[in-house]
Amino acid sequence: MSGKTVFRGELSVPGDKSISHRAAMFAALATGVSRVRGFLHAEDTLSTAGMMRALGARIEEVSPTELRIEGKGLRALVEPSDVIDAGNSGTTIRIGSGILAAQPFLSVLTGDRTLRRRPMGRVIEPLVKMGASIRGRDGNRLPPLCIRGGSLRGIRYEMPVASAQVKSSLLLAGLYADSPVTVVEPLLSRDHTERMLKAMGAIVSREGNAVTVAPCERLDPLDVTVPGDISSAAFFLVLAAVTPGSSLTVRGVGVNPFRTGVVEVLRRMGAGIRYSSERVVGGEPVADLVVRGAELAPADVAPEEVPGLIDEVPALCVAAVFAAGRTKIRGAGELRVKESDRIAAMVACLSSLGIPCGEYPDGLWVEGPAAVRPGISCDSRGDHRIAMSLRVLGAAAGVPIEVKNVECIDTSFPGFQSLLDGLTR
Ligand code: S3P
């Protein structure tokens, strides 16, 4: 029940969003001039650049994907003269809060309608434990956040949810604390912050699930190339994987082991995915991914796998539509507080397209292979990853799906549609 078209060729995807955010933020805190190549020029990462400019860093676009950043040093940021708008970006507001919690001035952080509904208690609570003064709407749970930073103390904090954003926020605050900060994760999440801070001279160590950062006087500048975003590549991996006869190469993709869950699950489902030209770029493992389509089997995705593929669940749901049997994804309750409730959004869209599927409180199931009902219009709910998944589903099934609210794709992947059109033409 796969589409009639096969997808062949080569493409590359824009820079990794998580790494681009961190490069812009951390370079602004460094002492000296940093160069960031392969920067993701998208709404979310530009929100981060805007925040760091508002704090006094000079960030120059040498080209849309290359930044020259004159860092302010850890302790010379300036009080922003206006409210900082993080747009749609959870990474900007959450990691930004960790930096601002340590600054001796007042900052107010807000975001768009979606971001203002996303939980912030997870960063406010530990930062307040460190001694910061942070207030948020709805009983200190939601943005806007009002942060009066100051001296911080080191803590050991057991995170209730696996979150790289929360971990990173606390590690950043820890650079400024009077003693080390240790963050204990229930499950391991992406470690881009730890890698980059170490490359900049900070002392970061790991013992099991606990990451510790030592207080720090200065960060060295960065000279870094950001690898392609595996979360963006995932849409094309799925497109080729579900279509027997397809063979697609996605060049220069970051394959940090905390991010490759989507590759592992697609392989388990029967897709052929091979790494070629493996190398290290900017302290991160990178490879060209060569994917071959196949008749897929369903997968069971277990809770411990979820942090490694959290942003790829909508794309994996598309793969599940073509797999012969029921795919189940559990332990993914975090999806309910992403840019949309991604469990509800995917189940609503797939159901309206005639695909058997359903929700669990902490996940979802999809039964394939299923025919996609033509002539249906689906709402992305303003969530970029839902919008792109629906586009891929339409392309793979060879059935046009009208997707409402697709502008949101620009938050993470401008150019997505032309890459897709290039393959389907
Ligand atoms: C991100 C971490 C993940 C991910 C988000 C980006 C990051 O969120 O979903 O898109 O850059 O640290 P959580 O840390 O909240 O799980």
Side-chain angles (χ1 to χ4, degrees):
M1 147 69 243
S2 41
K4 302 104 217 140
T5 323
V6 293
F7 303 99
R8 293 181 164 270
E10 287 185 14
L11 57 99
S12 48
V13 293
D16 186 274
K17 181 152 81 75
S18 292
I19 299 174
S20 296
H21 277 299
R22 287 158 174 78
M25 272 188 232
F26 303 176
L29 301 177
T31 303
V33 176
S34 294
R35 285 268 173 182
V36 182
R37 298 176 188 81
F39 181 74
L40 170 66
H41 188 92
E43 284 168 12
D44 271 12
T45 43
L46 293 176
S47 293
T48 285
M51 172 171 76
M52 300 321 288
R53 283 194 182 105
L55 296 171
R58 199 152 159 225
I59 304 184
E60 194 190 317
E61 276 186 20
V62 180
S63 78
T65 58
E66 182 172 343
L67 302 182
R68 179 185 180 278
I69 301 177
E70 280 177 34
K72 285 295 277 180
L74 280 164
R75 289 171 180 81
L77 299 179
V78 298
E79 185 173 73
S81 58
D82 202 348
V83 171
I84 293 173
D85 186 357
N88 192 247
S89 174
T91 309
T92 308
I93 195 166
R94 294 207 179 105
I95 305 186
S97 299
I99 297 170
L100 293 169
Q103 310 308 320
F105 51 68
L106 183 90
S107 334
V108 181
L109 283 163
T110 191
D112 68 9
R113 245 182 64 221
T114 309
L115 190 64
R116 280 184 274 115
R117 286 198 297 255
R118 295 185 62 190
M120 296 298 144
R122 53 182 64 195
V123 284
I124 296 177
E125 189 223 326
L127 289 171
V128 165
K129 279 201 172 108
M130 290 178 71
S133 156
I134 310 185
R135 293 278 179 278
R137 204 161 53 82
D138 193 28
N140 298 334
R141 290 179 346 107
L142 298 176
L145 305 182
C146 179
I147 305 180
R148 171 78 230 178
S151 318
L152 299 180
R153 51 185 170 268
I155 55 167
R156 179 181 173 90
Y157 184 69
E158 311 245 348
M159 297 199 308
V161 287
S163 162
Q165 292 175 350
V166 176
K167 173 178 63 176
S168 302
S169 183
L170 300 182
L171 294 179
L172 265 286
L175 296 174
Y176 296 87
D178 62 358
S179 62
V181 163
T182 298
V183 186
V184 187
E185 307 185 81
L187 293 170
L188 300 182
S189 66
R190 63 192 72 189
D191 65 349
H192 307 303
T193 294
E194 295 92 306
R195 285 173 188 253
M196 200 178 280
L197 286 180
K198 269 193 210 168
M200 299 175 84
I203 299 171
V204 184
S205 57
R206 169 177 288 281
E207 240 187 271
N209 283 25
V211 187
T212 299
V213 68
C216 180
E217 280 311 312
R218 53 164 275 160
L219 293 175
D220 298 331
L222 281 172
D223 187 348
V224 78
T225 299
V226 178
D229 196 329
I230 192 166
S231 299
S232 299
F235 298 106
F236 296 100
L237 299 182
V238 165
L239 181 69
V242 301
T243 324
S246 291
S247 172
L248 201 62
T249 300
V250 191
R251 296 221 174 275
V253 181
V255 286
N256 178 307
F258 295 107
R259 298 283 301 279
T260 48
V262 64
V263 172
E264 283 145 36
V265 172
L266 286 174
R267 277 181 179 154
R268 241 165 44 220
M269 295 173 84
I273 305 184
R274 189 166 57 79
Y275 289 8
S276 107
S277 306
E278 289 184 63
R279 57 235 188 234
V280 174
V281 177
E284 294 275 349
V286 170
D288 298 340
L289 301 187
V290 185
V291 54
R292 282 181 205 288
E295 301 289 350
L296 297 185
D300 273 334
V301 176
E304 35 316 340
E305 294 183 277
V306 166
L309 49 72
I310 185 72
D311 293 335
E312 289 67 71
V313 170
L316 282 173
C317 290
V318 173
V321 172
F322 296 88
R326 182 171 289 203
T327 289
K328 298 180 204 141
I329 301 176
R330 301 305 298 258
E334 274 295 293
L335 292 175
R336 297 211 180 267
V337 290
K338 293 292 177 190
E339 286 82 329
S340 69
D341 175 341
R342 287 183 175 158
I343 295 172
M346 280 315 286
V347 168
C349 291
L350 296 181
S351 300
S352 69
L353 290 163
I355 295 153
C357 60
E359 295 190 22
Y360 303 117
D362 65 343
L364 71 173
W365 61 269
V366 178
E367 183 103 23
V372 175
R373 192 182 286 151
I376 302 292
S377 158
C378 290
D379 187 355
S380 76
R381 304 187 180 191
D383 184 325
H384 53 136
R385 299 205 197 278
I386 304 294
M388 288 186 276
S389 298
L390 294 168
R391 288 283 202 225
V392 167
L393 177 57
V399 173
I401 299 172
E402 193 205 329
V403 186
K404 285 195 232 148
N405 288 318
V406 284
E407 322 71 53
C408 54
I409 290 174
D410 287 346
T411 60
S412 70
F413 197 168
F416 164 79
Q417 193 58 48
S418 35
L419 279 176
L420 186 63
D421 291 345
L423 291 172
T424 47
R425 215 176 284 127

